[in-house]
């Protein structure tokens, strides 16, 4: 369902129209904004969640999402140790 939403959204459907066409819950559409907010609050870099949330909110286009994510400088991932 997440893939289908992204596909429809990339083809020009609004997030609402894409979700209606799918007719089922699309978990990523609901969780991306929450994940982006949590990451911001905790100071965690979450570029995919942040970009998806911004696109779903109409703040940036799908092309801007792709351009922004693909132009990010590569860096080493860091993992928390508990």
């Amino acid at each position: 369902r997440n893939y289908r939403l992204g596909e429809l959204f990339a083809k020009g459907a609004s997030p609402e129209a894409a979700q209606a066409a799918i007719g089922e819950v699309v978990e990523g559409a609901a969780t991306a904004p929450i994940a982006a907010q949590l990451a911001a609050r905790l100071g965690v870099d979450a570029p995919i969640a942040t970009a998806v949330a911004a696109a779903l909110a109409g703040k940036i286009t799908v092309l801007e999402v792709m351009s922004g994510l693909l132009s990010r400088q590569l860096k080493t991932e860091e993992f928390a140790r508990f």
Side-chain angles (χ1 to χ4, degrees):
R1 294 177 296 242
N2 289 315
Y3 178 87
R4 183 78 177 124
L5 178 89
E7 183 177 45
L8 291 169
F9 191 43
K11 290 180 178 178
S14 70
E16 296 81 12
Q19 287 187 53
I22 294 166
E24 297 179 52
V25 173
V26 180
E27 296 87 353
T31 58
I34 295 166
Q37 289 172 0
L38 180 60
R41 190 174 77 211
L42 297 175
V44 174
D45 189 27
I48 296 173
T50 301
V52 169
L56 290 171
K59 295 178 181 175
I60 59 175
T61 67
V62 173
L63 290 176
E64 290 170 320
V65 168
M66 297 306 298
S67 176
L69 291 174
L70 293 174
S71 65
R72 287 176 50 91
Q73 184 174 9
L74 296 177
K75 62 181 185 178
T76 303
E77 294 288 334
E78 297 179 29
F79 299 94
R81 291 186 169 78
F82 297 99

